[in-house]
């Protein structure tokens, strides 16, 4: 069994995408089903409530023989019925997992070309990073006004404008609530994607999968 602290509950069309830190190894883990990427939303309800950020989740996983494309953190869910939320951590307890590496997830900006990643050894692929942003602010997406964007800089001044897929923070923003600049962000890198492969080659996009306000 693996115990992870949940640091991402991202909304996606086919359910949720979970990510967290293995409390034994300190490494990122993204639990995924055998034949899809999204976890059905109903599976994220335990003991009558939805999983929350900072929950410690115990679950049965195994590593695939080969890394998923550019997402070496992915591990396959072996048994849905063994899931158990055992406790919760305080936000201050995860500060040690903040990763100051710049640029965030391989490149400045909001995307990474698969050709760049293929030049790296697979062990260097990184698709999840806990970030302490500078000059954080949230705005509506210019082309998709129903979506929100997190704008921030890293420690070296690189600028990012990344779509927010954290459902709770999205709801708060829609209500007009202010999100503190003193927050941690879990940034995730998608698999290669393109809305129109003929017009534009697939790219890996960065999204903000979780926003956690510091006390």
């Amino acid at each position: 069994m693996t115990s992870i602290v949940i640091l991402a509950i991202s909304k996606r069309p086919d359910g949720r995408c979970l990510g967290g830190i293995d409390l034994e190894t300190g490494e990122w883990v993204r639990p995924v089903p055998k034949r899809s990427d999204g976890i059905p939303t109903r599976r994220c309800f335990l003991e009558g409530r939805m999983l929350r950020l900072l929950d410690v989740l115990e679950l049965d996983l195994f590593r695939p023989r080969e890394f998923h494309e550019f997402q070496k953190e992915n591990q396959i869910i072996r048994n849905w019925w063994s899931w158990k939320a055992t406790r919760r951590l305080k936000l201050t307890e995860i500060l040690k997992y903040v990763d100051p590496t710049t640029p965030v997830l391989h490149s400045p900006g909001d995307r990474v070309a698969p050709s760049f990643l293929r030049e790296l050894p697979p062990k260097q692929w990184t698709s999840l990073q806990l970030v302490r942003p500078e000059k954080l602010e949230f705005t509506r997406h210019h082309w998709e006004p129903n979506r929100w964007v997190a704008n921030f800089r890293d420690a070296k001044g690189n600028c990012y404008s990344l779509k927010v897929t954290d459902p709770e923070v999205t709801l708060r923003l829609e209500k007009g609530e202010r999100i503190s600049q003193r927050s941690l962000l879990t940034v995730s890198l998608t698999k290669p994607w393109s809305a129109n492969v003929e017009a534009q080659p697939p790219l890996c996009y960065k999204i903000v999968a979780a926003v956690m306000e510091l006390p």
Side-chain angles (χ1 to χ4, degrees), residues 10-186:
S10 184
K11 189 174 182 179
R12 49 178 296 136
D14 56 352
R16 294 287 190 269
C17 181
L18 299 182
I21 297 284
D22 184 324
L23 294 178
E24 181 176 344
T25 66
E27 297 178 350
W28 278 100
V29 173
R30 182 187 287 107
V32 294
K34 284 184 179 179
R35 296 180 178 84
S36 64
D37 294 328
I39 295 174
T41 302
R42 70 181 186 279
R43 297 289 188 182
C44 297
F45 280 88
L46 296 180
E47 299 179 356
R49 71 166 178 85
M50 185 73 171
L51 280 171
R52 294 177 292 174
L53 296 172
L54 304 180
D55 279 345
V56 174
L57 178 64
E58 187 177 280
L59 67 174
D60 189 6
L61 303 171
F62 69 93
R63 292 184 182 274
R65 292 182 179 179
E66 296 181 358
F67 292 144
H68 286 67
E69 191 171 30
F70 312 132
Q71 295 184 334
K72 68 179 177 62
E73 301 88 353
N74 290 13
Q75 294 190 33
I76 307 298
I77 299 167
R78 191 196 312 269
N79 180 356
W80 294 99
W81 307 109
S82 63
W83 287 29
K84 183 188 300 184
T86 59
R87 58 193 173 102
R88 286 179 56 77
L89 296 187
K90 296 178 181 178
L91 190 53
T92 52
E93 294 180 88
I94 68 164
L95 288 175
K96 61 185 177 181
Y97 300 121
V98 171
D99 185 350
T101 301
T102 58
V104 174
L105 296 183
H106 300 292
S107 71
D110 69 345
R111 64 198 68 184
V112 185
S115 57
F116 170 82
L117 294 170
R118 291 190 182 102
E119 292 179 358
L120 299 176
K123 289 187 177 180
Q124 291 183 18
W125 292 342
T126 303
S127 68
L128 286 161
Q129 185 173 342
L130 185 62
V131 176
R132 193 165 192 167
E134 297 182 3
K135 299 185 181 299
L136 174 66
E137 64 173 0
F138 295 89
T139 57
R140 288 193 181 273
H141 193 282
H142 182 73
W143 302 110
E144 301 176 66
N146 62 325
R147 302 288 298 268
W148 288 87
V149 173
N151 306 287
F152 64 95
R153 296 180 182 178
D154 64 26
K156 290 188 177 179
N158 296 309
C159 296
Y160 306 85
S161 293
L162 310 182
K163 288 183 179 180
V164 176
T165 58
D166 180 325
E168 289 194 11
V169 164
T170 298
L171 183 60
R172 290 179 58 192
L173 289 167
E174 289 292 337
K175 291 179 178 179
E177 294 185 27
R178 182 179 177 83
I179 307 298
S180 173
Q181 286 190 327
R182 297 187 68 255
S183 296
L184 302 181
L185 307 179
T186 299

